[in-house]
Amino acid sequence: MLAGMSVDYYTRLERGNLGGVSEGVLESVATALQLDDAERAHLFDLARTANAGVRPRAARRTQPAVRPSVRRVLDAMEGVPAFVVDGRLEIVAANALGEALYAPQFANPERPVNQARFAFLDPQARTFWANWDRAAWDTVAMLRTEAGRHPYDRALTDLIGELSTRSDAFRTLWARHDVKLHHVGAKTIVHPVVGPIELSFEVFGLPADDGLSILTYSAEPGSASEDALKLLASWAATQREHEPSASLETP
């Protein structure tokens, strides 16, 4: 009633039959259901796919290279952990402090580092994220959002299939169909070298690089977390100078 449509028509939409639906109808549904920005965008992504006609063959999107100018920006952020990430949550590039902060993830020789695989398949993840349950939910919701944008990305489909097969926790969260836009927020990381670090994160899109964003972390000035971040930077520099492949040992 709120969306101004019949029960039969709305039932058809709920069953996923979005072929031919207009943007006006979608807006009415989104308003009636009080969808947030991520949910609204996801609804429109699903409708766009339904209206695309013949389904294309699943393709493996090649990972775009990081442009030299973007690489220079990362390296210039000496006091800020910074990463270039894609929609599949793969870390395409990182600066020195970023690699140090995510050291448990980079310890796995498989490249590119994938944050979803780490979250659900690496036992260290449950102690690395102070609130693993929240980090896990965020991870799945972001992948669900990406799947709505790129439903025929074979690499993404393969990743979701792998995680669904190997992780009960992932499979349970995936079935909830939650979505999220990952732009700003806070996380607490329990680092094996310097301990807990409370960090704020910001995500900056790279319009010239389809699907890539820069993820940065920062600590509150004058806080214990800022001190921990500085200590981590010092530790990382020492490791690079004397033992590039050293294991993580608390000094």
Side-chain angles (χ1 to χ4, degrees), residues 44 56 59 65 67 70 77 83 92 98-99 101 110 144 161 163 166-167 173 179 188 195 197 204 213 224 242:
F44 276 80
R67 290 180 290 114
V70 175
M77 299 179 179
F83 310 85
V92 183
E99 289 192 21
L101 182 66
E110 185 177 351
R144 174 67 74 177
L163 295 175
R166 300 178 61 187
S167 170
L173 289 171
V179 292
T188 299
I197 317 177
F204 305 93
S213 302
H242 298 101

Side-chain angles (χ1 to χ4, degrees), residues 101-102 125-132 134-135 185-191 195-201 217 225:
L101 182 66
Y102 275 9
R126 291 181 179 266
T127 54
F128 181 75
W129 303 114
N131 187 345
W132 179 86
R134 178 66 194 191
K187 292 185 185 294
T188 299
I189 290 172
V190 184
H191 197 277
I197 317 177
E198 296 180 3
L199 299 168
S200 299
F201 68 83
Y217 286 101
S225 292

Side-chain angles (χ1 to χ4, degrees), residues 102-127:
Y102 275 9
Q105 299 190 43
F106 280 90
N108 188 322
E110 185 177 351
R111 294 293 181 271
V113 173
N114 186 282
Q115 297 178 77
R117 284 196 181 95
F118 175 76
F120 289 98
L121 304 182
D122 194 320
Q124 295 182 87
R126 291 181 179 266
T127 54

Side-chain angles (χ1 to χ4, degrees), residues 2 27-37 39-40:
L2 291 173
E27 286 288 357
S28 296
V29 171
T31 300
L33 295 179
Q34 299 180 9
L35 302 185
D36 62 23
D37 289 344
E39 293 163 342
R40 182 183 295 262

Side-chain angles (χ1 to χ4, degrees), residues 1-18 25-26 28-30 32-33 35 43:
M1 182 179 65
L2 291 173
M5 64 184 65
S6 69
V7 172
D8 288 343
Y9 189 74
Y10 179 72
T11 301
R12 191 194 97 182
L13 299 182
E14 278 204 333
R15 290 174 176 169
N17 186 359
L18 297 174
V25 168
L26 294 177
S28 296
V29 171
L33 295 179
L35 302 185
L43 175 62

Side-chain angles (χ1 to χ4, degrees), residues 202-240:
E202 300 277 347
V203 179
F204 305 93
L206 294 171
D209 302 286
D210 183 33
L212 295 185
S213 302
I214 292 181
L215 165 65
T216 64
Y217 286 101
S218 63
E220 187 73 23
S223 66
S225 292
E226 184 185 45
D227 292 339
L229 208 54
K230 291 178 180 177
L231 178 60
L232 182 62
S234 176
W235 173 84
T238 301
Q239 297 298 95
R240 288 196 304 276

